[in-house]
Amino acid sequence: MPSPTPVFAPLPGLASPSQPTARVRAAPRLRGDLGVWLVILMELLTFAILFVSYAFARTQELALFNASQATLNLHTGALNTVLLISGSACVASAVQAMGRDARVACARWLLGALACGSGFVGVKLWEYAGKLAEGVDLSTNTFYMFYLLLTGFHFLHVLVGLLALAWLWWRVRRGDYGRGDLHALETGAAFWHMVDLLWIVLFPLVYVMR
Amino acid sequence: MFRLTIGKTWVLLVLLTGLTFGLGEGGFFGHGAMLPVLLVLVFSGIKGALVILEYLEMRKAPGLWRWLLLGWLTLVLALVVLAYWIAS
């Protein structure tokens, strides 16, 4: 004879308070503004075309590319990579700090990122000054045309990123953001990380690989 | 899923940059050698993926965005390998 169904059986899917509940995972979410992300995609596409154009142009003038590339300073290229990577870590830490409502820590991390970015600008200007003194310009040869175009276009993105970070730092100091309002910070962070990502491809391509 | 903290990611990124610099300074390139090119691009691929997944927080983003960025990185590096292979 079948056992009778209990009258007060819990409904399917409803756990009693004594039962362990499964951890709820946050729904996937894009960090930052969708409009800025579309701009980031366009920038990535533009740089992809430039990177691949450089690599294939090199196949036509291999000796010239190798000889010209040997004049670049690998030390400053590596130093700038570390500065951008460190800047990215600072920005990520700033967003994380604001997620805990730690506004002072967030502002300090942003200052750290600004210092790293400014260091990059200083090193790059020093490098450009050296090249200008050697008489290098866009018309010198195909390698230097790509070198100035790629690094110069990237340099402009670093400057825009620095302006965005400075503005975010000022707003954080003013107390405009909090734990529930990370949108602007996440948007600025996304742009800065894109600048870092581009350099991660640019550095080995232009400075290292022969 | 395996996750790195911001600090550990930074250490890995700096280490891989150091290895890339070492290969460049050590005179491993030239004469059409493809191994150092592949090594440096693998380092760049790992560094790029770390920035995309950890700093851009693409782990927590919709799959389409995550694969769009990782796909961009893979395609660019693969085309660069092709160009260097042609020139070697």
Side-chain angles (χ1 to χ4, degrees):
Chain A
M1 186 178 164
S3 61
T5 309
V7 177
F8 297 107
L11 289 169
L14 284 180
S16 69
S18 60
Q19 286 177 303
T21 49
R23 276 184 70 188
V24 179
R25 286 188 66 181
R29 181 174 71 84
L30 189 65
R31 265 67 179 169
D33 188 79
L34 180 63
V36 170
W37 267 105
L38 293 176
V39 171
I40 288 173
L41 284 187
M42 281 172 53
E43 301 288 359
L44 289 177
L45 184 65
T46 307
F47 270 95
I49 292 167
L50 286 171
F51 290 148
V52 174
S53 300
Y54 168 93
F56 279 92
R58 180 181 169 274
T59 64
Q60 304 301 310
E61 296 175 88
L62 194 56
L64 177 123
F65 269 64
N66 285 344
S68 305
Q69 199 180 25
T71 68
L72 297 185
N73 190 334
L74 197 57
H75 292 80
T76 58
L79 174 62
N80 267 346
T81 309
V82 173
L83 284 169
L84 280 190
I85 285 167
S86 304
S88 257
C90 288
V91 170
S93 300
V95 175
Q96 207 174 66
M98 189 55 89
R100 300 189 307 267
D101 249 343
R103 291 173 196 184
V104 175
C106 175
R108 282 184 186 152
W109 281 118
L110 285 176
L111 262 189
L114 280 166
C116 290
S118 303
F120 179 96
V121 168
V123 172
K124 206 88 203 82
L125 286 176
W126 182 77
E127 190 179 302
Y128 283 148
K131 288 289 155 225
L132 275 176
E134 289 169 20
V136 167
D137 61 34
L138 277 168
S139 61
T140 302
N141 64 36
T142 316
F143 172 82
Y144 283 123
M145 188 269 288
F146 270 110
Y147 162 74
L148 290 171
L149 198 67
L150 275 166
T151 61
F153 195 32
H154 179 269
F155 184 76
L156 289 178
H157 285 75
V158 174
L159 293 181
V160 172
L162 279 174
L163 284 176
L165 291 182
W167 181 74
L168 286 169
W169 174 78
W170 178 67
R171 298 282 309 262
V172 167
R173 292 266 299 170
R174 235 175 47 163
D176 288 350
Y177 306 127
R179 191 178 178 179
D181 183 14
L182 295 174
H183 190 70
L185 270 170
E186 287 178 340
T187 302
F191 188 86
W192 189 259
H193 296 318
M194 174 205 71
V195 170
D196 186 17
L197 180 61
L198 290 172
W199 186 262
I200 280 173
V201 178
L202 196 157
F203 169 60
L205 189 64
V206 176
Y207 286 79
V208 182
M209 298 193 309
R210 286 169 205 166
Chain B
M1 194 191 284
F2 178 67
R3 279 213 67 189
L4 290 164
T5 60
I6 293 170
K8 282 178 188 163
T9 303
W10 178 81
V11 170
L12 273 176
L13 288 170
V14 171
L15 275 176
L16 290 167
T17 301
L19 287 172
T20 303
F21 174 75
L23 278 174
E25 276 288 284
F28 291 95
F29 289 91
H31 313 293
M34 278 302 287
L35 185 62
V37 170
L38 287 173
L39 271 175
V40 162
L41 290 179
V42 166
F43 296 158
S44 288
I46 297 170
K47 286 165 73 180
L50 284 171
V51 170
I52 289 169
L53 294 173
E54 300 297 333
Y55 289 169
L56 279 166
E57 297 194 70
M58 278 291 148
R59 276 185 199 284
K60 302 172 193 166
L64 173 69
W65 283 93
R66 183 166 57 249
W67 291 113
L68 211 55
L69 262 75
L70 290 173
W72 172 87
L73 181 65
T74 310
L75 184 65
V76 168
L77 296 180
L79 287 172
V80 169
V81 169
L82 177 67
Y84 273 72
W85 179 67
I86 289 170
S88 68

